[in-house]
Amino acid sequence: MSALRTSGPARAGQYLALLAYLVFLAFPLLWLVSTAFKPAPELASLHPTWIPKDPTLDNFRQAFDEQPLLRAAANSLLAAVSAAVIAVAVATPLAYVTARHRGRLTTAATGWVVISQAFPFVLVIIPLFLVLKNLHLINSVAGLVLVYVVWSLPFALWMLMGYVRAVPAELEEAAAVDGAGRIRTLVSVTAPLLAPGIVATALFAFVTAWNEFFFALVLLKTPEKQTLPVVLTHFLGAEGVADLGPLAAAAFLATLPSLVVFGVLQRRITGGTLAGAVKS
Amino acid sequence: MSSVTTAERPGRARTPRAAPGARPRGPDLGAWFLVLPALLPILVLSVGPLLYGIALAFTDAQSGRTQATRWVGTLNFQDLLHDTLFWESFRIGAVWAVGVTIPQFLLALGLALLLDQNLRFRWLARALAIVPWAMPEVVVGIMWRLVYNPDAGILNETLRNLGLGEGHDWLSGLATALPAVIVVGVWAGMPQTTVALLAGLQNTPRELHEAAALDGAGAWRRFRAVTWPALRPVALAITALNLIWNFNSFALVYVLTNGGPGGRTRLPMLFAYEEAFRYGQFGYAAAMGCVMVAVVSVLIALSLVRRLKGDQDR
């Protein structure tokens, strides 16, 4: 490391740059939180301040009064949990097979993962809308879950393939030599080693579905069925004139679950999953 | 999507090698049994609708119409050719995609290089750099509307305090709307790019840096000779993906401006969404989707060609 010692002025420059990034990344967040806790008179002031002089929870109360936030959060939770569980349950076996076997299936799977990144959703949502309408699954969380499962499959598959490849095949072969059958090997050798990866994948799928907006906007028509992101846009009003305090309060609340999950996953995110995917 | 923010985007697709020691064998019956639960929903709900969507582009399908849907051949595409509003949205989509992707890449590269250094408060920047990723796009849009708010927003207040004018209505101004949403796009998409580049940086062998430094290479020379060559594959892959995701993005701009003012921020996805779900023109909107797929496919093809060339150069 000695050869890389950075000179004093260069270090100062680095800290200055870091400070600039911190400001750029943080100031919208701080403003959102500040707005959420401001009482109405301070919101109406023409000279807004960073820190609420008289912080209040009124905006949160008002937000719950104005829009069915609890119902929306319940819908979001239902959709996101179901989608995450189903997607992982369905993707894990596929990931296992594609990671362990070379061949056409693997090529097709990886090709599909790449192509799925390029779908403009409008080309998929119109036919899906028509199909789900015929199945009477429009305006139902069940229909949305179907869409979310398929939509989160590519990256679930991609992550899980990485985790499967990290499990040494020798372990499975040793179990086979010891006389364990295929299923037995999978259940008692492979599955426990895969478990942390499966949990991480499920959490990512959860956040993806919790945050999703476009499909929910198209497929859910009535307020009692809508998910949180869709209900949030109702605060904006027809003319885009918004009640700032409740809007900020509701937006702040809607972010908390994803922030918690990302907090839990942070080491994985910065540490390596994407690194593994990118360097292959 | 959205720009959809999924946690983990595949950076590059390679046929995975069988783990060492695994006998390469074709999928037998048992393997198919494991594959089917995923294959069926994929075919029914992903590949199927995609093909159906392409077929719809050649029909006059509309919502709530009583007559049967008819094949109209390439009529929708001929109409699209003359639809100046669509091409305007296409131009805006291209400006937006490039305008977001390039600054995003440069800023993310800078941040990744900083985070790779042994700096204090690095953890704080790391944590903050992840947050935009975790936020629903709708919330990001709402948050920036609060920042941009002409009266109660912090941006104008800061400008007033610095004596830089009386402030603007950024999102409603014809000239400022597109740049304003581009700034939000850069902010929202920086985490993925930063994390991908940081991962690439951490794969660069440190000894190479030290050797170069001992040879008297300055920071810039070291970047050019050591860092960039190692980083290039990741950088190209993430840039191509960012261009595609940004071109197809929807939620952020829907919340910020809903395409306004006067269509200045109407991205292709917003246009197609309105055409399909406000005016019920399913066939026509599907044709727009086809054109967008075609453009994006060209982008993918170009990035693949570049990558193949890059591999040959080495």
Side-chain angles (χ1 to χ4, degrees):
Chain A
M1 273 312 285
S2 56
L4 286 176
R5 197 171 299 284
T6 315
S7 67
R11 254 297 188 249
Q14 286 176 346
Y15 274 110
L16 212 62
L18 192 66
L19 182 70
Y21 275 108
L22 289 178
V23 170
F24 179 58
L25 289 167
F27 92 93
L29 297 168
L30 295 177
W31 188 243
L32 176 72
V33 178
S34 156
T35 308
F37 289 99
K38 270 185 193 166
E42 280 188 53
L43 285 167
S45 152
L46 277 177
H47 287 285
T49 46
W50 272 107
I51 297 167
K53 281 188 216 84
D54 193 9
T56 169
L57 292 174
D58 281 353
N59 293 324
F60 292 89
R61 229 168 283 139
Q62 207 181 326
F64 280 98
D65 286 344
E66 279 177 26
Q67 295 291 339
L69 284 183
L70 274 181
R71 175 85 58 84
N75 290 340
S76 279
L77 195 67
L78 179 64
V81 170
S82 323
V85 170
I86 300 173
V88 166
V90 157
T92 307
L94 179 64
Y96 180 77
V97 175
T98 42
R100 283 285 188 254
H101 297 276
R102 260 171 121 173
R104 261 182 234 151
L105 182 69
T106 317
T107 318
T110 46
W112 176 68
V113 169
V114 171
I115 289 168
S116 68
Q117 297 301 310
F119 282 3
F121 294 135
V122 70
L123 194 56
V124 183
I125 192 68
I126 298 168
L128 271 177
F129 182 83
L130 293 173
V131 169
L132 292 174
K133 201 171 158 193
N134 285 331
L135 296 171
H136 300 289
L137 285 175
I138 293 289
N139 203 27
S140 89
V141 175
L144 192 67
V145 168
L146 276 181
V147 177
Y148 283 175
V149 166
V150 175
W151 179 55
S152 54
L153 270 178
F155 84 82
L157 176 66
W158 191 258
M159 280 181 76
L160 286 166
M161 276 166 67
Y163 289 116
V164 171
R165 264 176 271 146
V167 176
E170 287 86 352
L171 286 180
E172 290 173 13
E173 288 175 356
V177 168
D178 289 346
R182 181 177 201 143
I183 302 293
R184 178 100 203 254
T185 309
L186 280 180
V187 170
S188 57
V189 177
T190 319
L193 291 168
L194 271 183
I198 290 176
V199 171
T201 310
L203 286 173
F204 274 127
F206 171 86
V207 171
T208 312
W210 177 271
N211 291 351
E212 203 281 334
F213 176 65
F214 181 65
F215 292 130
L217 175 71
V218 171
L219 295 178
L220 306 171
K221 294 293 160 202
T222 55
E224 60 270 22
K225 295 286 183 189
Q226 284 168 339
T227 55
L228 211 41
V230 182
V231 169
L232 283 183
T233 61
H234 297 334
F235 281 103
L236 294 171
E239 301 293 301
V241 184
D243 212 348
L244 299 180
L247 175 70
F252 175 64
L253 285 180
T255 311
L256 289 180
S258 335
L259 279 183
V260 170
V261 170
F262 262 66
V264 171
L265 288 177
Q266 209 208 348
R267 188 169 307 163
R268 261 169 212 283
I269 297 162
T270 44
T273 44
L274 201 122
V278 173
K279 76 184 167 194
S280 85
Chain B
M1 133 136 108
S2 97
S3 96
V4 177
T5 37
T6 50
E8 177 140 344
R9 302 287 201 168
R12 45 196 316 202
R14 286 258 175 98
T15 310
R17 276 162 215 112
R23 272 162 286 131
R25 40 189 179 179
D28 52 33
L29 218 62
W32 278 110
F33 184 71
L34 294 173
V35 168
L36 271 176
L39 225 49
L40 277 180
I42 288 168
L43 288 175
V44 174
L45 284 162
S46 174
V47 179
L50 186 68
L51 298 176
Y52 187 4
I54 295 171
L56 275 173
F58 297 91
T59 72
D60 62 353
Q62 287 176 12
S63 73
R65 206 176 55 160
T66 44
Q67 297 135 294
T69 299
R70 287 174 309 137
W71 285 93
V72 294
T74 57
L75 197 67
N76 286 328
F77 292 94
Q78 290 168 32
D79 285 349
L80 259 188
L81 218 56
H82 303 291
D83 190 336
T84 50
L85 281 179
F86 177 68
W87 293 111
E88 176 61 10
S89 85
F90 226 75
R91 190 189 65 80
I92 293 167
V95 171
W96 152 268
V98 175
V100 171
T101 302
I102 290 180
Q104 192 175 70
F105 176 80
L106 294 174
L107 284 174
L109 179 63
L111 183 57
L113 287 170
L114 280 176
L115 292 181
D116 199 35
Q117 301 281 322
N118 210 359
L119 295 180
R120 248 180 263 179
F121 303 113
R122 187 170 65 159
W123 61 271
L124 183 60
R126 266 181 200 244
L128 274 177
I130 298 286
V131 171
W133 196 349
M135 296 180 85
E137 278 181 297
V138 167
V139 174
V140 173
I142 288 172
M143 186 174 71
W144 278 87
R145 277 181 68 146
L146 298 172
V147 169
Y148 280 137
N149 188 291
D151 302 320
I154 192 62
L155 182 61
N156 277 346
E157 178 61 14
T158 307
L159 290 177
R160 280 193 290 264
N161 286 343
L162 294 173
L164 293 169
E166 266 310 293
H168 304 272
D169 193 349
W170 300 95
L171 293 170
S172 307
L174 288 177
T176 54
L178 188 55
V181 294
I182 283 176
V183 169
V184 183
V186 170
W187 187 89
M190 248 176 67
Q192 283 100 320
T193 314
T194 306
V195 170
L197 292 175
L198 190 59
L201 282 179
Q202 286 169 351
N203 291 329
T204 339
R206 213 153 264 281
E207 305 80 57
L208 278 180
H209 272 284
E210 290 174 17
L214 282 176
D215 288 347
W220 174 242
R221 282 279 332 248
R222 288 206 302 272
F223 178 78
R224 285 287 311 273
V226 180
T227 312
W228 182 246
L231 206 55
R232 200 174 61 168
V234 178
L236 287 179
I238 194 76
T239 302
L241 281 170
N242 276 338
L243 280 172
I244 292 164
W245 293 331
N246 287 328
F247 186 74
N248 287 335
S249 64
F250 176 81
L252 213 52
V253 176
Y254 177 90
V255 174
L256 281 166
T257 61
N258 197 10
R264 293 295 164 100
T265 59
R266 194 193 283 136
L267 303 181
M269 271 289 285
L270 289 163
F271 195 93
Y273 165 78
E274 290 223 319
E275 206 59 44
F277 296 102
R278 179 180 284 191
Y279 305 117
Q281 302 291 338
F282 286 150
Y284 195 52
M288 291 180 185
C290 286
V291 173
M292 289 171 68
V293 170
V295 168
V296 162
S297 310
V298 169
L299 259 176
I300 295 178
L302 282 179
S303 71
L304 285 180
V305 168
R306 295 228 25 200
R307 188 183 315 161
L308 291 177
K309 252 180 71 186
D311 284 348
Q312 272 169 9
D313 290 348
R314 243 167 284 145

